[in-house]
Amino acid sequence: MQSFSASTASKGKVCLAYSGGLDTSCILKWLINDRGYDVVCFLADVGQEEDWDQVRAKAKKLGASKMVITDLRKEFVEDFCFRAIQCNAQYQGRYLLGTSLARPVIARAQMKVAQEEGCQFVSHGCTGKGNDQCRFELAFLAIDPKIEIIAPWRIPQFFERFQGRNDLLDYAAKMEIPVTSTKAKPYSMDDNIAHCSYESGQLEDPSKPPPPDMWTRTNDPITGPHTPQGVTIQFEKGIPVKVVLEGKDYTDSLELFVALNEVGKLHGIGRIDIVELRAAHLDLEGLVMDGKVRSLRDQFVTHSWSEILYNGLYFSPEREFVENSLLFSQQRVNGEVRLQCYRGNVFIVGRSSDTEKLYSEEESSMDSLENFSPVDTTGFININAIRLKKYGLQKLESGESLAKSRE
């Protein structure tokens, strides 16, 4: 943890979730100048690309009484990213929850800093329209039900003065607040070790593609290397515990995650977060996980856990309930997956498990009758056909025939 401090008289102390970007820089100045608070800035290092010294100097220049930067990368990877991999988490079948995953670990650490610094208030820069305000505030209130929250984008004196990012840019210029956003590129960016996402500006027009220079975590697949790169990932209970890459072994959770990020960036893999781990995990499950358990996990756990995270309900009894089912489902997901990365794609080239015996090459072979008699299939078909025969008879009695194609 890194920090600086300075004393000032105020009407109360606020712990502000501070990124150093346009919104929170303006909010920091507004809380101090317009509202008279003593502000402790908190910044979570969740793997974003940042000049920490510059952020610290900027907070001090803008009047923060203290700047606290906490390294949460390993905690984020182990407690949240790996759990998302075990869950194959997706929201609405598409969104891989890059922002949603980071909010609970940030909020938890911010509340710890607020308590240590004796803050009566916590604050954030989330807009009054999006889900992030719910994610932060529901976490704050679950951790400390008595904490008071300052949400500037829901305070009329703030949002009536600042109608949008252009007003913030004007304020920043007036108050001499250094920012990287411009009126030509007024983007809001959320960056962490699992993803980087943008919003605002021309991105609000869904008919337009994102500018090429926005992609910071992946190179253009079209200009990627001409030769595929091999990677081997070993899992224990659905969690990656070892990566073999270019003859080097990575076993530390953070180091292997960063190593895979670098491979993904080089080859422009998917342009979605941690795709190699997700692809490898999914493939291994097909080898070692009971089919019925996997089906129930996909129908119930994946959907429910993803929705809970998306809606900011990590600190809830339903998340604990669902996660216990998830952990049970992953007990036997142990094995190794070999894959190749090439120009935006991940190809699975092999999978194996030394401990799990669910798959048998002998039993799966069309050339073997080991532990199986073809005669048994007759009974299976007859039993399943009982209700289907009755269905067919019902159709015939009503003048319909299942043999007739629909017109």
Side-chain angles (χ1 to χ4, degrees):
M1 183 180 292
Q2 305 168 339
S3 65
F4 71 81
S5 62
S7 60
T8 180
S10 74
K11 65 178 186 182
K13 188 180 282 190
V14 180
C15 183
L16 170 66
Y18 178 74
S19 69
L22 175 63
D23 290 55
T24 54
S25 293
C26 290
I27 288 170
L28 170 57
K29 199 70 175 173
W30 181 79
L31 286 170
I32 296 169
N33 285 16
D34 292 48
R35 310 293 277 192
Y37 290 111
D38 173 9
V39 181
V40 174
C41 286
F42 166 74
L43 177 56
D45 177 2
V46 284
Q48 66 269 44
E49 297 176 356
E50 200 72 72
D51 184 332
W52 305 112
D53 290 335
Q54 188 178 77
V55 170
R56 195 177 297 104
K58 182 176 178 179
K60 185 175 183 179
K61 177 184 177 182
L62 296 179
S65 63
K66 191 168 187 176
M67 176 80 231
V68 179
I69 301 174
T70 306
D71 186 350
L72 300 175
R73 292 175 299 165
K74 195 160 191 169
E75 185 178 340
F76 177 42
V77 167
E78 292 181 349
D79 291 357
F80 297 89
C81 295
F82 283 174
R83 196 69 78 229
I85 292 164
Q86 288 180 302
C87 194
N88 301 321
Q90 295 181 60
Y91 180 73
Q92 295 185 342
R94 182 175 176 86
Y95 174 48
L96 298 182
L97 301 170
T99 295
S100 307
L101 289 171
R103 294 314 186 226
V105 73
I106 295 171
R108 184 165 63 191
Q110 183 178 352
M111 286 300 296
K112 182 180 178 183
V113 170
Q115 291 166 356
E116 291 172 347
E117 297 297 327
C119 297
Q120 299 85 31
F121 309 89
V122 288
S123 184
H124 58 77
C126 304
T127 70
K129 288 184 177 180
N131 286 2
D132 256 3
Q133 57 185 332
C134 302
R135 295 170 185 144
F136 274 112
E137 294 185 31
L138 290 172
F140 294 155
L141 293 169
I143 294 167
D144 181 357
K146 295 183 179 180
I147 192 67
E148 294 190 59
I149 300 169
I150 300 173
W153 284 110
R154 298 203 308 270
I155 297 174
Q157 295 95 318
F158 187 88
F159 68 71
E160 288 174 0
R161 179 177 178 182
F162 304 108
Q163 299 286 314
R165 295 183 69 78
N166 283 339
D167 289 338
L168 289 177
L169 288 165
D170 290 337
Y171 179 75
K174 178 182 177 182
M175 304 302 294
E176 299 183 342
I177 300 172
V179 293
T180 56
S181 299
T182 66
K183 291 188 178 181
K185 294 183 177 182
Y187 308 123
S188 175
M189 180 178 74
D190 179 63
D191 185 25
N192 63 48
I193 201 169
H195 90 145
C196 183
S197 64
Y198 293 84
E199 61 183 4
S200 192
Q202 82 171 60
L203 300 176
E204 293 176 351
D205 183 348
S207 69
K208 294 181 179 178
D213 61 356
M214 284 190 116
W215 302 103
T216 60
R217 290 205 170 262
T218 55
N219 296 340
D220 189 339
I222 296 174
T223 60
H226 294 285
T227 305
Q229 184 173 8
V231 181
T232 299
I233 305 174
Q234 183 178 327
F235 291 85
E236 289 182 7
K237 296 184 177 180
I239 292 175
V241 295
K242 181 180 178 181
V243 168
V244 181
L245 179 61
E246 303 291 341
K248 183 176 180 180
D249 294 354
Y250 297 88
T251 55
D252 176 79
S253 57
L254 181 57
E255 289 179 0
L256 69 83
F257 202 93
V258 170
L260 288 173
N261 270 356
E262 289 302 313
V263 175
K265 179 175 183 176
L266 178 64
H267 294 273
I269 299 297
R271 293 205 162 181
I272 53 176
D273 62 333
I274 49 179
V275 70
E276 301 106 312
L277 285 174
R278 291 175 188 263
H281 177 257
L282 273 168
D283 200 79
L284 179 62
E285 284 187 334
L287 182 71
V288 301
M289 193 172 177
D290 180 85
K292 286 294 185 182
V293 172
R294 186 179 185 185
S295 177
L296 286 170
R297 191 280 313 275
D298 291 346
Q299 294 175 55
F300 166 63
V301 176
T302 296
H303 171 77
S304 299
W305 194 89
S306 301
E307 194 169 70
I308 287 166
L309 263 287
Y310 184 81
N311 290 325
L313 298 170
Y314 179 82
F315 297 99
S316 65
E318 60 267 34
R319 194 272 307 169
E320 285 197 47
F321 170 71
V322 170
E323 205 161 284
N324 279 325
S325 298
L326 170 62
L327 294 175
F328 177 86
S329 77
Q330 297 296 297
Q331 286 180 343
R332 305 196 73 88
V333 183
N334 307 306
E336 183 176 281
V337 181
R338 291 181 292 111
L339 45 88
Q340 286 190 332
C341 303
Y342 181 67
R343 293 201 166 185
N345 293 284
V346 176
F347 304 99
I348 306 296
V349 296
R351 77 284 292 161
S352 62
S353 176
D354 293 332
T355 60
E356 307 309 314
K357 308 302 180 185
L358 191 62
Y359 173 80
S360 166
E361 184 177 352
E362 178 72 21
E363 292 178 357
S364 298
S365 173
M366 298 298 290
D367 298 321
S368 172
L369 294 179
E370 183 75 21
N371 296 325
F372 173 76
S373 171
V375 176
D376 294 342
T377 306
T378 302
F380 174 81
I381 292 172
N382 287 337
I383 290 171
N384 279 279
I386 292 173
R387 67 183 184 89
L388 297 181
K389 288 178 181 179
K390 293 185 181 297
Y391 175 64
L393 287 172
Q394 288 175 340
K395 285 290 188 180
L396 288 172
E397 289 171 359
S398 63
E400 301 177 62
S401 173
L402 294 175
K404 186 178 180 180
S405 62
R406 297 183 65 179
E407 297 178 355

